[in-house]
């Protein structure tokens, strides 16, 4: 389909996404039904992941988590479409996301040369590009600007999907440029080149490793391999490292909060940083089990 196909798809999202968020939520239940009951989209993967992650829970409890997860997945879908037609003003007005402790990140950002933010597939990761348009519980604005944002991503096999989702994720940014999105294979070179330029590097770090892997130990009751790339870059360049937690409070309400991992990653090994990341992530998942992407084949 190429670039022309991407333009058509993005145009459709702009039109459909222009409707109020409550209109989109009216269709979320239908999408949930299609995914869970008609397509039975990865039902076996979800139940296997849940059973192995929560060996102490009974079948009925696991089914309930699964049910809540698919409801959440339907909402992620419509929120992503709505987001694809939004700007900062619309995001703020919606109150979709509240940043609970901006002062924690601002202190880290102002004290250190560069900051690495480790995110996950909790909440709705497709909303990452709206940082500067979200409300803050304290009224304090985020200390960084658009020019500081660097989102690290893994290129998809489909060029159409890769370009479409890339543009949708960064749609809210007023200046969409190649400098704000960095393909993971280029991150070390890019970070070294810009080591003297203040920046915020954002990674989704809970994927199954597609390159050399490190055995991180047990995560969610399972032996787990992890990538050290994000922690390795932070370690080499002495970044501060912060965990970004995204909790779904209710339909249409998410809370983001920052949890510091270290002020200077050169004083920790990449393995130590990664282990701490997975410890925090596990605590987040156990707090709100339906909030993680259980269709993801994290353990292969």
């Amino acid at each position: 389909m190429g670039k022309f196909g991407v333009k058509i798809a993005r145009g459709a999202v702009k039109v459909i996404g222009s409707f109020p968020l409550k209109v989109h939520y009216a269709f979320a239940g239908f999408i949930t039904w299609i995914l869970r009951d008609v397509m039975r989209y990865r039902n076996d993967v979800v139940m296997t992941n849940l059973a192995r992650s929560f060996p102490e829970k009974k079948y009925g409890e696991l089914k309930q988590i699964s049910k809540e997860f698919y409801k959440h997945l339907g909402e992620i879908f419509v929120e992503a479409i709505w987001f694809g037609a939004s700007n900062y003003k619309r995001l703020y007005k919606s109150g979709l996301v509240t940043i609970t402790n901006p002062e924690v990140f601002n202190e880290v950002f102002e004290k250190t040369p560069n900051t690495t933010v480790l995110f996950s597939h909790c909440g709705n990761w497709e909303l990452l590009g709206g940082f500067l348009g979200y409300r803050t519980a304290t009224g304090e604005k985020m200390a960084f600007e658009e020019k500081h944002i660097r989102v690290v991503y893994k290129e998809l096999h489909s060029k159409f999907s890769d370009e479409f989702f890339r543009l949708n994720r960064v749609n809210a940014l007023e200046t969409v440029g190649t400098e704000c999105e960095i393909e993971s294979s280029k991150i070390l070179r890019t970070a070294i080149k810009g080591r003297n330029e203040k920046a915020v590097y954002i990674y989704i770090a809970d994927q199954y490793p597609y390159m050399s892997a490190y055995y991180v130990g047990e995560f969610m009751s399972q032996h787990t391999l992890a990538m050290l790339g994000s922690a390795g870059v932070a370690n080499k360049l002495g970044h501060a490292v912060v965990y970004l937690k995204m909790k779904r409070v209710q339909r249409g309400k998410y809370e983001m909060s920052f949890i510091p991992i270290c002020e200077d990653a050169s004083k920790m090994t990449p393995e130590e940083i990664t282990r701490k990341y997975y410890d925090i992530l596990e605590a987040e998942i156990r707090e709100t089990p339906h909030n993680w992407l259980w269709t993801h084949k994290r353990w292969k």
Side-chain angles (χ1 to χ4, degrees), residues 1-10 160:
M1 296 180 69
K3 292 184 177 181
F4 182 67
V6 172
K7 287 184 178 180
I8 293 176
R10 287 287 300 139
F160 170 81

Side-chain angles (χ1 to χ4, degrees), residues 26-40:
F27 292 96
F30 175 73
I31 293 170
T32 295
W33 175 69
I34 291 293
L35 291 173
R36 184 188 63 211
D37 301 321
V38 178
M39 293 175 59
R40 296 187 59 81

Side-chain angles (χ1 to χ4, degrees), residues 171-184:
N171 175 75
L173 299 178
E174 295 175 2
T175 55
V176 178
T178 55
E179 71 280 357
C180 77
E181 288 259 313
I182 305 170
E183 209 285 322
S184 57

Side-chain angles (χ1 to χ4, degrees), residues 15-66:
V15 173
I16 298 170
S18 64
F19 290 99
L21 188 54
K22 63 181 179 181
V23 174
H24 289 269
Y25 281 136
F27 292 96
F30 175 73
I31 293 170
T32 295
W33 175 69
I34 291 293
L35 291 173
R36 184 188 63 211
D37 301 321
V38 178
M39 293 175 59
R40 296 187 59 81
Y41 175 65
R42 293 191 175 179
N43 284 12
D44 55 340
V45 174
V46 172
M47 288 305 295
T48 298
N49 281 341
L50 286 172
R52 291 176 177 173
S53 297
F54 300 102
E56 74 284 1
K57 293 187 181 297
K58 296 179 180 179
Y59 179 77
E61 294 176 289
L62 300 178
K63 285 296 289 184
Q64 183 59 33
I65 295 173
S66 173

Side-chain angles (χ1 to χ4, degrees), residues 107-108 111-114 238-241 260-266 268:
E107 181 180 358
V108 170
K111 287 172 58 177
T112 57
N114 288 289
H239 290 191
V241 181
I261 290 179
C262 61
E263 288 189 4
D264 182 354
S266 67
M268 294 178 69

Side-chain angles (χ1 to χ4, degrees), residues 119-222:
F119 195 38
S120 72
H121 285 95
C122 284
N124 189 343
W125 55 97
E126 295 293 341
L127 306 180
L128 268 178
F131 256 129
L132 300 179
Y134 296 141
R135 296 180 181 182
T136 59
T138 62
E140 183 177 352
K141 292 183 178 180
M142 299 305 300
F144 64 90
E145 301 173 26
E146 273 194 11
K147 65 181 180 180
H148 299 124
I149 298 173
R150 307 286 187 271
V151 179
V152 184
Y153 73 102
K154 177 71 174 73
E155 185 175 5
L156 300 175
H157 293 298
S158 166
K159 290 185 178 181
F160 170 81
S161 297
D162 183 73
E163 184 68 4
F164 174 80
F165 285 111
R166 185 184 70 82
L167 291 175
N168 201 74
R169 282 193 301 267
V170 301
N171 175 75
L173 299 178
E174 295 175 2
T175 55
V176 178
T178 55
E179 71 280 357
C180 77
E181 288 259 313
I182 305 170
E183 209 285 322
S184 57
S185 63
K186 302 175 183 177
I187 180 58
L188 180 58
R189 186 188 329 139
T190 303
I192 291 175
K193 184 178 179 181
R195 66 190 308 165
N196 296 319
E197 302 171 5
K198 210 167 183 64
V200 178
Y201 294 89
I202 304 172
Y203 302 79
I204 295 181
D206 60 346
Q207 301 99 323
Y208 181 82
Y210 50 85
M211 296 176 66
S212 56
Y214 161 71
Y215 175 63
V216 76
E218 282 203 2
F219 163 63
M220 296 306 299
S221 305
Q222 298 172 76

